[in-house]
PDB file of all heavy atoms in Angstrom:
ATOM      1  N   PHE Z1072      14.793   3.324 -48.994  1.00  0.00           N
ATOM      2  CA  PHE Z1072      15.639   2.745 -47.979  1.00  0.00           C
ATOM      3  C   PHE Z1072      14.844   1.762 -47.032  1.00  0.00           C
ATOM      4  O   PHE Z1072      15.479   1.057 -46.223  1.00  0.00           O
ATOM      5  CB  PHE Z1072      16.348   3.781 -47.122  1.00  0.00           C
ATOM      6  CG  PHE Z1072      17.189   4.661 -48.047  1.00  0.00           C
ATOM      7  CD1 PHE Z1072      16.988   6.019 -47.968  1.00  0.00           C
ATOM      8  CD2 PHE Z1072      18.183   4.147 -48.781  1.00  0.00           C
ATOM      9  CE1 PHE Z1072      17.776   6.824 -48.787  1.00  0.00           C
ATOM     10  CE2 PHE Z1072      18.988   4.925 -49.621  1.00  0.00           C
ATOM     11  CZ  PHE Z1072      18.749   6.321 -49.630  1.00  0.00           C
ATOM     12  N   HIS Z1073      13.523   1.859 -47.012  1.00  0.00           N
ATOM     13  CA  HIS Z1073      12.693   1.031 -46.165  1.00  0.00           C
ATOM     14  C   HIS Z1073      11.557   0.327 -46.882  1.00  0.00           C
ATOM     15  O   HIS Z1073      10.924   0.926 -47.781  1.00  0.00           O
ATOM     16  CB  HIS Z1073      12.095   1.916 -45.050  1.00  0.00           C
ATOM     17  CG  HIS Z1073      13.166   2.450 -44.084  1.00  0.00           C
ATOM     18  ND1 HIS Z1073      13.176   3.765 -43.722  1.00  0.00           N
ATOM     19  CD2 HIS Z1073      14.194   1.878 -43.470  1.00  0.00           C
ATOM     20  CE1 HIS Z1073      14.184   4.021 -42.867  1.00  0.00           C
ATOM     21  NE2 HIS Z1073      14.820   2.897 -42.746  1.00  0.00           N
ATOM     22  N   GLU Z1074      11.289  -0.897 -46.415  1.00  0.00           N
ATOM     23  CA  GLU Z1074      10.055  -1.576 -46.817  1.00  0.00           C
ATOM     24  C   GLU Z1074       9.129  -1.406 -45.573  1.00  0.00           C
ATOM     25  O   GLU Z1074       9.215  -2.089 -44.589  1.00  0.00           O
ATOM     26  CB  GLU Z1074      10.295  -3.020 -47.082  1.00  0.00           C
ATOM     27  CG  GLU Z1074      11.127  -3.255 -48.341  1.00  0.00           C
ATOM     28  CD  GLU Z1074      11.280  -4.724 -48.643  1.00  0.00           C
ATOM     29  OE1 GLU Z1074      10.586  -5.543 -47.998  1.00  0.00           O
ATOM     30  OE2 GLU Z1074      12.052  -5.069 -49.514  1.00  0.00           O
ATOM     31  N   ILE Z1075       8.203  -0.419 -45.722  1.00  0.00           N
ATOM     32  CA  ILE Z1075       7.347  -0.083 -44.593  1.00  0.00           C
ATOM     33  C   ILE Z1075       6.007   0.496 -45.182  1.00  0.00           C
ATOM     34  O   ILE Z1075       6.010   1.091 -46.255  1.00  0.00           O
ATOM     35  CB  ILE Z1075       7.996   1.051 -43.710  1.00  0.00           C
ATOM     36  CG1 ILE Z1075       7.153   1.546 -42.594  1.00  0.00           C
ATOM     37  CG2 ILE Z1075       8.507   2.214 -44.597  1.00  0.00           C
ATOM     38  CD1 ILE Z1075       7.790   2.616 -41.734  1.00  0.00           C
ATOM     39  N   GLU Z1076       4.951   0.159 -44.528  1.00  0.00           N
ATOM     40  CA  GLU Z1076       3.609   0.579 -45.062  1.00  0.00           C
ATOM     41  C   GLU Z1076       3.391   2.087 -45.029  1.00  0.00           C
ATOM     42  O   GLU Z1076       2.803   2.690 -45.867  1.00  0.00           O
ATOM     43  CB  GLU Z1076       2.528  -0.076 -44.193  1.00  0.00           C
ATOM     44  CG  GLU Z1076       1.147   0.269 -44.686  1.00  0.00           C
ATOM     45  CD  GLU Z1076       0.084  -0.363 -43.802  1.00  0.00           C
ATOM     46  OE1 GLU Z1076       0.367  -0.957 -42.794  1.00  0.00           O
ATOM     47  OE2 GLU Z1076      -1.127  -0.263 -44.175  1.00  0.00           O
ATOM     48  N   SER Z1077       3.970   2.755 -43.960  1.00  0.00           N
ATOM     49  CA  SER Z1077       3.727   4.186 -43.733  1.00  0.00           C
ATOM     50  C   SER Z1077       4.951   4.990 -44.156  1.00  0.00           C
ATOM     51  O   SER Z1077       5.902   4.522 -44.730  1.00  0.00           O
ATOM     52  CB  SER Z1077       3.370   4.403 -42.264  1.00  0.00           C
ATOM     53  OG  SER Z1077       4.380   3.869 -41.466  1.00  0.00           O
ATOM     54  N   GLU Z1078       4.811   6.314 -43.821  1.00  0.00           N
ATOM     55  CA  GLU Z1078       5.926   7.290 -44.273  1.00  0.00           C
ATOM     56  C   GLU Z1078       7.159   7.174 -43.458  1.00  0.00           C
ATOM     57  O   GLU Z1078       7.174   6.883 -42.270  1.00  0.00           O
ATOM     58  CB  GLU Z1078       5.273   8.704 -44.185  1.00  0.00           C
ATOM     59  CG  GLU Z1078       5.359   9.374 -42.784  1.00  0.00           C
ATOM     60  CD  GLU Z1078       4.432   8.789 -41.774  1.00  0.00           C
ATOM     61  OE1 GLU Z1078       3.484   8.016 -42.118  1.00  0.00           O
ATOM     62  OE2 GLU Z1078       4.693   9.032 -40.554  1.00  0.00           O
ATOM     63  N   ASP Z1079       8.288   7.354 -44.123  1.00  0.00           N
ATOM     64  CA  ASP Z1079       9.565   7.574 -43.388  1.00  0.00           C
ATOM     65  C   ASP Z1079      10.236   8.897 -43.713  1.00  0.00           C
ATOM     66  O   ASP Z1079      11.335   9.153 -43.276  1.00  0.00           O
ATOM     67  CB  ASP Z1079      10.479   6.428 -43.663  1.00  0.00           C
ATOM     68  CG  ASP Z1079      11.048   6.342 -45.120  1.00  0.00           C
ATOM     69  OD1 ASP Z1079      10.611   7.130 -45.927  1.00  0.00           O
ATOM     70  OD2 ASP Z1079      11.907   5.470 -45.431  1.00  0.00           O
ATOM     71  N   PHE Z1080       9.543   9.766 -44.484  1.00  0.00           N
ATOM     72  CA  PHE Z1080      10.007  11.092 -44.787  1.00  0.00           C
ATOM     73  C   PHE Z1080       8.816  12.038 -44.926  1.00  0.00           C
ATOM     74  O   PHE Z1080       7.850  11.768 -45.560  1.00  0.00           O
ATOM     75  CB  PHE Z1080      10.825  11.113 -46.080  1.00  0.00           C
ATOM     76  CG  PHE Z1080      11.204  12.473 -46.506  1.00  0.00           C
ATOM     77  CD1 PHE Z1080      12.234  13.181 -45.943  1.00  0.00           C
ATOM     78  CD2 PHE Z1080      10.490  13.161 -47.513  1.00  0.00           C
ATOM     79  CE1 PHE Z1080      12.549  14.514 -46.367  1.00  0.00           C
ATOM     80  CE2 PHE Z1080      10.795  14.424 -47.970  1.00  0.00           C
ATOM     81  CZ  PHE Z1080      11.839  15.079 -47.382  1.00  0.00           C
ATOM     82  N   VAL Z1081       8.988  13.217 -44.320  1.00  0.00           N
ATOM     83  CA  VAL Z1081       7.886  14.242 -44.322  1.00  0.00           C
ATOM     84  C   VAL Z1081       8.608  15.599 -44.366  1.00  0.00           C
ATOM     85  O   VAL Z1081       9.579  15.849 -43.732  1.00  0.00           O
ATOM     86  CB  VAL Z1081       7.009  14.219 -43.098  1.00  0.00           C
ATOM     87  CG1 VAL Z1081       6.028  15.390 -43.063  1.00  0.00           C
ATOM     88  CG2 VAL Z1081       6.227  12.846 -42.944  1.00  0.00           C
ATOM     89  N   VAL Z1082       7.986  16.516 -45.228  1.00  0.00           N
ATOM     90  CA  VAL Z1082       8.432  17.903 -45.231  1.00  0.00           C
ATOM     91  C   VAL Z1082       7.201  18.713 -45.239  1.00  0.00           C
ATOM     92  O   VAL Z1082       6.180  18.435 -45.975  1.00  0.00           O
ATOM     93  CB  VAL Z1082       9.362  18.221 -46.422  1.00  0.00           C
ATOM     94  CG1 VAL Z1082       8.696  17.889 -47.728  1.00  0.00           C
ATOM     95  CG2 VAL Z1082       9.866  19.629 -46.408  1.00  0.00           C
ATOM     96  N   ALA Z1083       7.203  19.863 -44.564  1.00  0.00           N
ATOM     97  CA  ALA Z1083       5.980  20.673 -44.473  1.00  0.00           C
ATOM     98  C   ALA Z1083       6.271  22.116 -44.244  1.00  0.00           C
ATOM     99  O   ALA Z1083       7.263  22.485 -43.621  1.00  0.00           O
ATOM    100  CB  ALA Z1083       5.047  20.206 -43.390  1.00  0.00           C
ATOM    101  N   GLY Z1084       5.437  23.007 -44.790  1.00  0.00           N
ATOM    102  CA  GLY Z1084       5.406  24.399 -44.515  1.00  0.00           C
ATOM    103  C   GLY Z1084       4.366  24.706 -43.510  1.00  0.00           C
ATOM    104  O   GLY Z1084       3.226  24.140 -43.523  1.00  0.00           O
ATOM    105  N   LEU Z1085       4.656  25.556 -42.503  1.00  0.00           N
ATOM    106  CA  LEU Z1085       3.780  25.836 -41.390  1.00  0.00           C
ATOM    107  C   LEU Z1085       3.377  27.312 -41.328  1.00  0.00           C
ATOM    108  O   LEU Z1085       4.210  28.187 -41.520  1.00  0.00           O
ATOM    109  CB  LEU Z1085       4.442  25.417 -40.122  1.00  0.00           C
ATOM    110  CG  LEU Z1085       5.121  24.063 -40.002  1.00  0.00           C
ATOM    111  CD1 LEU Z1085       5.854  23.856 -38.669  1.00  0.00           C
ATOM    112  CD2 LEU Z1085       4.199  22.959 -40.257  1.00  0.00           C
ATOM    113  N   GLU Z1086       2.104  27.553 -40.906  1.00  0.00           N
ATOM    114  CA  GLU Z1086       1.668  28.900 -40.546  1.00  0.00           C
ATOM    115  C   GLU Z1086       1.124  28.806 -39.185  1.00  0.00           C
ATOM    116  O   GLU Z1086       0.155  27.996 -38.934  1.00  0.00           O
ATOM    117  CB  GLU Z1086       0.718  29.404 -41.494  1.00  0.00           C
ATOM    118  CG  GLU Z1086       0.274  30.864 -41.218  1.00  0.00           C
ATOM    119  CD  GLU Z1086      -0.710  31.412 -42.207  1.00  0.00           C
ATOM    120  OE1 GLU Z1086      -1.104  30.797 -43.183  1.00  0.00           O
ATOM    121  OE2 GLU Z1086      -1.132  32.557 -42.036  1.00  0.00           O
ATOM    122  N   PHE Z1087       1.679  29.632 -38.205  1.00  0.00           N
ATOM    123  CA  PHE Z1087       1.248  29.537 -36.818  1.00  0.00           C
ATOM    124  C   PHE Z1087       0.129  30.551 -36.534  1.00  0.00           C
ATOM    125  O   PHE Z1087      -0.024  31.591 -37.149  1.00  0.00           O
ATOM    126  CB  PHE Z1087       2.394  29.815 -35.958  1.00  0.00           C
ATOM    127  CG  PHE Z1087       3.447  28.700 -35.910  1.00  0.00           C
ATOM    128  CD1 PHE Z1087       4.381  28.566 -36.990  1.00  0.00           C
ATOM    129  CD2 PHE Z1087       3.485  27.774 -34.891  1.00  0.00           C
ATOM    130  CE1 PHE Z1087       5.281  27.568 -36.990  1.00  0.00           C
ATOM    131  CE2 PHE Z1087       4.429  26.750 -34.922  1.00  0.00           C
ATOM    132  CZ  PHE Z1087       5.305  26.609 -35.962  1.00  0.00           C
ATOM    133  N   GLU Z1088      -0.666  30.273 -35.485  1.00  0.00           N
ATOM    134  CA  GLU Z1088      -1.691  31.107 -35.079  1.00  0.00           C
ATOM    135  C   GLU Z1088      -1.145  32.558 -34.695  1.00  0.00           C
ATOM    136  O   GLU Z1088      -1.843  33.546 -34.867  1.00  0.00           O
ATOM    137  CB  GLU Z1088      -2.514  30.525 -33.860  1.00  0.00           C
ATOM    138  CG  GLU Z1088      -3.284  29.335 -34.208  1.00  0.00           C
ATOM    139  CD  GLU Z1088      -4.647  29.600 -34.915  1.00  0.00           C
ATOM    140  OE1 GLU Z1088      -4.867  30.779 -35.206  1.00  0.00           O
ATOM    141  OE2 GLU Z1088      -5.322  28.692 -35.246  1.00  0.00           O
ATOM    142  N   CYS Z1089       0.072  32.582 -34.155  1.00  0.00           N
ATOM    143  CA  CYS Z1089       0.677  33.833 -33.702  1.00  0.00           C
ATOM    144  C   CYS Z1089       1.140  34.711 -34.868  1.00  0.00           C
ATOM    145  O   CYS Z1089       1.620  35.786 -34.685  1.00  0.00           O
ATOM    146  CB  CYS Z1089       1.790  33.535 -32.783  1.00  0.00           C
ATOM    147  SG  CYS Z1089       3.247  32.761 -33.500  1.00  0.00           S
ATOM    148  N   GLY Z1090       1.085  34.162 -36.094  1.00  0.00           N
ATOM    149  CA  GLY Z1090       1.531  34.928 -37.309  1.00  0.00           C
ATOM    150  C   GLY Z1090       2.923  34.469 -37.782  1.00  0.00           C
ATOM    151  O   GLY Z1090       3.306  34.862 -38.896  1.00  0.00           O
ATOM    152  N   ALA Z1091       3.619  33.690 -37.034  1.00  0.00           N
ATOM    153  CA  ALA Z1091       4.953  33.169 -37.494  1.00  0.00           C
ATOM    154  C   ALA Z1091       4.779  32.122 -38.523  1.00  0.00           C
ATOM    155  O   ALA Z1091       3.626  31.500 -38.756  1.00  0.00           O
ATOM    156  CB  ALA Z1091       5.707  32.533 -36.334  1.00  0.00           C
ATOM    157  N   VAL Z1092       5.784  31.915 -39.371  1.00  0.00           N
ATOM    158  CA  VAL Z1092       5.823  30.831 -40.423  1.00  0.00           C
ATOM    159  C   VAL Z1092       6.986  29.897 -40.062  1.00  0.00           C
ATOM    160  O   VAL Z1092       7.821  30.182 -39.154  1.00  0.00           O
ATOM    161  CB  VAL Z1092       6.065  31.372 -41.817  1.00  0.00           C
ATOM    162  CG1 VAL Z1092       4.802  32.264 -42.208  1.00  0.00           C
ATOM    163  CG2 VAL Z1092       7.334  32.204 -41.873  1.00  0.00           C
ATOM    164  N   GLY Z1093       6.937  28.765 -40.623  1.00  0.00           N
ATOM    165  CA  GLY Z1093       8.041  27.783 -40.318  1.00  0.00           C
ATOM    166  C   GLY Z1093       8.087  26.600 -41.238  1.00  0.00           C
ATOM    167  O   GLY Z1093       7.314  26.464 -42.211  1.00  0.00           O
ATOM    168  N   SER Z1094       9.081  25.736 -40.972  1.00  0.00           N
ATOM    169  CA  SER Z1094       9.335  24.525 -41.750  1.00  0.00           C
ATOM    170  C   SER Z1094       9.423  23.350 -40.813  1.00  0.00           C
ATOM    171  O   SER Z1094       9.835  23.486 -39.614  1.00  0.00           O
ATOM    172  CB  SER Z1094      10.579  24.682 -42.610  1.00  0.00           C
ATOM    173  OG  SER Z1094      11.748  24.817 -41.793  1.00  0.00           O
ATOM    174  N   PHE Z1095       9.072  22.149 -41.289  1.00  0.00           N
ATOM    175  CA  PHE Z1095       9.172  20.962 -40.536  1.00  0.00           C
ATOM    176  C   PHE Z1095       9.552  19.805 -41.431  1.00  0.00           C
ATOM    177  O   PHE Z1095       9.103  19.635 -42.502  1.00  0.00           O
ATOM    178  CB  PHE Z1095       7.771  20.575 -39.931  1.00  0.00           C
ATOM    179  CG  PHE Z1095       7.761  19.230 -39.365  1.00  0.00           C
ATOM    180  CD1 PHE Z1095       8.144  18.997 -38.092  1.00  0.00           C
ATOM    181  CD2 PHE Z1095       7.174  18.098 -40.044  1.00  0.00           C
ATOM    182  CE1 PHE Z1095       8.084  17.707 -37.440  1.00  0.00           C
ATOM    183  CE2 PHE Z1095       7.167  16.850 -39.481  1.00  0.00           C
ATOM    184  CZ  PHE Z1095       7.591  16.609 -38.186  1.00  0.00           C
TER     185      PHE Z1095
END
Side-chain angles (χ1 to χ4, degrees):
F1072 303 122
H1073 293 132
E1074 292 183 11
I1075 177 179
E1076 181 182 8
S1077 55
E1078 83 292 342
D1079 68 354
F1080 172 77
V1081 174
V1082 61
L1085 315 174
E1086 183 177 358
F1087 291 80
E1088 292 283 1
C1089 67
V1092 295
S1094 62
F1095 170 83

